[in-house]
Every structure is written in structure tokens, then in C-alpha cells.
Amino acid sequence: MMNKYKLNVGIIGLGTVGSGVIKLLKKQRRNIKNRTGIELKVVAITARNRRKRRGVDISSFKWVDSPLEIARDPEVDVVVELIGDTDKTAAKVIREAISNGKHVVTANKSLLAKEGSFFEELAKEKGVFLRYEAAVAGGIPIIKVLQDSLIVNKISKLYGVINGTCNFILTKMESDGREYLDVFSEAKKLGYVESDPRLDIGGIDSAHKLALLSCLAFGTTLNFKSVKTEGIDHISIEDIQEADLIGYKIKLLATAEYSKNTLIQEVSPKLIRKGSPIAQVNGSTNIIAIEGEEIGTTVFSGPGAGMGPTASSVVSDLVAIASRKSKSTFLTGEKINGSNKYESTSKKSSFYLRFILKDKPGVIARLSGKLSSCGISISQMKQKPFAKQKATLIITTHKTLQENLEKALIDIKNLKICEQRPVCIEIQEFQKGSQVS
Ligand code: HSE
């Protein structure tokens, strides 16, 4: 049985987060001991490349060559798995560690979103803890908030910006007037980007995090497959500038709502009014708003990615394990209604549309005719020259059902007047009087 005041830690993966954990444990060792009585000792480490420059001295730690060796090492009480989202070794390591009676701390949101229930079942069977504060929103302690602080609330909705890379890119595009590929390398240098960047840009990383948050917030089972997901790679600097002209910013918004046993989860770019706190979250900062029966709307904001914030969350989980605090979460979920399909609602919204069209007589008349026959009313319209015999058309609509707009876009595609796939972004209006309106 583990000594309550001492925890032997094995770290697997020494990238940005793993190196940050080593640095932080060294820097905070005395502080942690003084404030909690807990001693966290790194007893084994491993990574893909021993000699990589990390900006942290690892020479005093026991290096092992195989991650599974750490998962089986009798000296290790807790395995910190920081290999990353795309490596299949992570799943093996977590399974092996738990099977060998070790606690696990992981930041692996992709794996948890898909297999979290399985790991938690195993952890329960073995009497160990599985913790993952670093998996969502970097340094914001949102997992603990949902597991502990808000546990007595019936939560109906949560939404926010939960991918630092996309927010950094959208913010830089706006401030510097540059296209997204151009600012992407900066995000990479800062350590925000996943090893497979499509996870960030395609909205999938946000979807992983949203599925974890939904499960904890609503007490439902994990349901990653039902997250309707769209990324930011089709957003151009022109969309950002046009949004700005009508008083909005573009953000990749993650939204989950639960009511009448139905869960709706969506990640997609949205136009958000400039004055809203969500629009004002810049760079890699994340923000999460939670609507609960007792608390009303509560908003959490802070660094969503990067070495320090993520390491801070990992180490807080180690302290929690040593203090014997943990929660079973994925297992207690209520089964939710229906298939894994996104259910469209009767909610009406306005939309921003950008078309690149053939510049010929009658094109706009035919396009607006299709909008009209689907019951969609135009609020604003602007045509600009794009290139020889092509034109850009920017439209904002009055409120309409999403399914009407989807039908109109199919009808417009069939007219064969579009030179590119149109851009369509919902204009998000928050409830008046809520803290994010
Ligand atoms: N790639 C992630 C992001 C890292 O940009 O938010 C933190 O989870």
C-alpha cells in the first residue's frame, strides 16, 4: 500500500508537457511538501528520444527504454502518460499501468474521449485513480470544477473556446491581417499544436475535450462520436475582416446542451459579437461558460495550452492522488437518447455567407431566388470583384432554421454558379443578460 505522503512517479513522454512537469516538480518540490505534506519523487522516465534538447536536465533520473517497463515497475506508484494523442503506445501503457495497480495521470484527451469509460472501469476494478485535469483547457481546473465544485448543479449548457491553437491562429489572422497557414508555424513554436495538427485545425481536439466536459457536466455517458465537428481551415482573412465590419469576431466555439435526455454537441466557427467576453479571449487563452440551475452562468478563463499551464494541471493531479482524492466519472453516466447522430433543433439563427461566383448577368438573382424559396430572408448583401469574371458575394441572413439554410446551399450548388465551396458561419447570439451576451 502506498505511503500517503509519498508518491513515486514514472513519467512517459518528455515533450513540452513532460519536460514542464519535471521542471515544475523540481521548482515546487519544497512548496508542495510544505503545503500538503506530500513528497512527489520521479523514479523513472522515458521518451522516444533520450538525447533531444529539452531545456531541462534529466541526467539524474533513471532512464528506461520501454514505456511498458515503467507501467510494470514495482517502484512506481503513479504513471504520468504524456506520449501524445496519435501514438497507440499510450493506450497500452495506460492499460498496463492500471492492470499493475498503478494510478494514472494523463493529458491524452483523444484517447480518453474514445476509451475513457473502459479505462475508468479498469481503474475501479483495480482500486486506482485515473486523473486527467491537463486533458482539457490547459491550466483551467475545469475538470475539478465539474467533478466537485458544481456537483450539486443541474447543468443545462456549456460552451466556450477550448482549443488554444485555433484561437491563437484566428486572433493573429485578425491582428496581423495574415492567412492561417502563415501564422500556424508560430503556434507550433509555442508548443500549442498537436503532433497531428489536423486535430487542432479540423476542430477534432475541441470535440475530444467537449465530449469529456459534457460527460462530467451533464452526468451522461461519453459520447464523442455525436459531436458535430467543423474546423477553421476554410476561414479566410476576408471572412474575419467582413465579420469585423458588422461588429463580430470569428471564434471556434464548442457547445454542448442537454435537455430531455438528449445531448447536442457541436464544434464549429461562429460569429460572436465583439463585446462578448468570448470574443475578447485572445491567443491561446481558453474560456468555458457553464449554465447551472443554482449558479446561473459561470465563466472560467485562462491559459489553454503550453508548457507551464498544462504541467500545473498534471502536478495538481499527482497531489490529488497522494491526498486520496478522486472521482469516478465516466462510469456513472446516464445513457442518453437516440443514435450518435447530431439532432438539429428548432433553434433559429442568422448566418454569414461568402460565395465566389461567376460574374455573369442573373447570377445573384438566381442565388437569391434559392434563398427565398427556402424561406430565407437576406439582411445585408455586398458584392466585390474577386478576379476576372468572378465576384465575391457576402450575405448575412435574418434568422432561419439551419435545415432551411442547408437545403438552400444544396440548391445553390446545383445552379453551378459557385467557383468554390461557400463559407457559411452561424451568427451566435447569447441569451440577453447572460454573462457572455
Ligand atoms: N493543441 C491543444 C490546443 C493543446 O491548442 O488547445 C492543449 O490541449
Side-chain angles (χ1 to χ4, degrees), residues 107 109 134-138 162-166 191-194 200 205 209 284 286 304-306 310:
K109 52 248 161 150
V136 183
I162 50 178
N163 182 273
T165 303
C166 289
Y192 305 154
V193 185
E194 299 302 315
D200 291 308
D205 177 73
K209 294 167 178 169
S284 66
N286 283 188
T310 315

Side-chain angles (χ1 to χ4, degrees), residues 71-234:
R72 292 173 188 144
D73 187 337
E75 207 193 344
V76 171
D77 297 313
V78 54
V79 170
V80 176
E81 182 281 304
L82 300 168
I83 300 174
D85 290 1
T86 49
D87 195 321
K88 297 224 176 334
T89 316
K92 281 191 208 149
V93 160
I94 295 180
R95 195 169 39 230
E96 190 67 14
I98 298 175
S99 302
N100 281 287
K102 301 186 191 314
H103 309 287
V104 169
V105 173
T106 177
N108 201 329
K109 52 248 161 150
S110 137
L111 188 58
L112 287 173
K114 290 173 223 147
E115 294 185 48
S117 309
F118 167 77
F119 290 129
E120 194 140 283
E121 184 82 58
L122 196 59
K124 191 176 170 200
E125 194 186 304
K126 294 285 172 184
V128 294
F129 300 138
L130 170 68
R131 296 194 67 106
Y132 46 91
E133 186 62 71
V136 183
I140 307 175
I142 195 69
I143 303 293
K144 289 182 191 75
V145 163
L146 290 171
Q147 286 179 330
D148 293 331
S149 322
L150 298 185
I151 198 73
V152 295
N153 278 265
K154 185 164 182 242
I155 296 170
S156 53
K157 188 168 178 181
L158 73 86
Y159 47 98
V161 171
I162 50 178
N163 182 273
T165 303
C166 289
N167 205 47
F168 178 85
I169 289 173
L170 291 170
T171 308
K172 272 267 170 192
M173 283 170 74
E174 185 201 340
S175 63
D176 300 0
R178 288 153 65 198
E179 287 294 354
Y180 103 88
L181 274 178
D182 202 22
V183 291
F184 174 77
S185 56
E186 278 182 59
K188 205 160 173 64
K189 264 190 220 136
L190 290 161
Y192 305 154
V193 185
E194 299 302 315
S195 42
D196 177 358
R198 286 169 304 178
L199 293 175
D200 291 308
I201 303 304
I204 304 156
D205 177 73
S206 294
H208 290 146
K209 294 167 178 169
L210 185 67
L212 297 175
L213 291 179
S214 298
C215 163
L216 301 180
F218 309 126
T220 50
T221 46
L222 264 173
N223 211 325
F224 164 65
K225 283 195 187 139
S226 75
V227 185
K228 187 189 176 204
T229 307
E230 186 187 323
I232 62 160
D233 51 358
H234 57 305

Side-chain angles (χ1 to χ4, degrees), residues 11 52 121 177 232 241 245 315 321 355 392 405 418:
I11 301 179
K52 182 178 150 185
E121 184 82 58
I232 62 160
Q241 287 163 349
L245 288 175
V315 175
I321 287 173
F355 299 93
T392 300
L405 189 79
C418 297

Side-chain angles (χ1 to χ4, degrees), residues 44 78 85 92 110 149 185 210 243 248 256 325 353 360 364 378 382 388 421:
V78 54
D85 290 1
K92 281 191 208 149
S110 137
S149 322
S185 56
L210 185 67
Y248 291 88
K325 282 190 212 147
L353 306 169
K360 289 206 304 205
I364 291 183
I378 292 171
K382 172 159 87 178
K388 203 162 173 252
R421 201 179 129 215

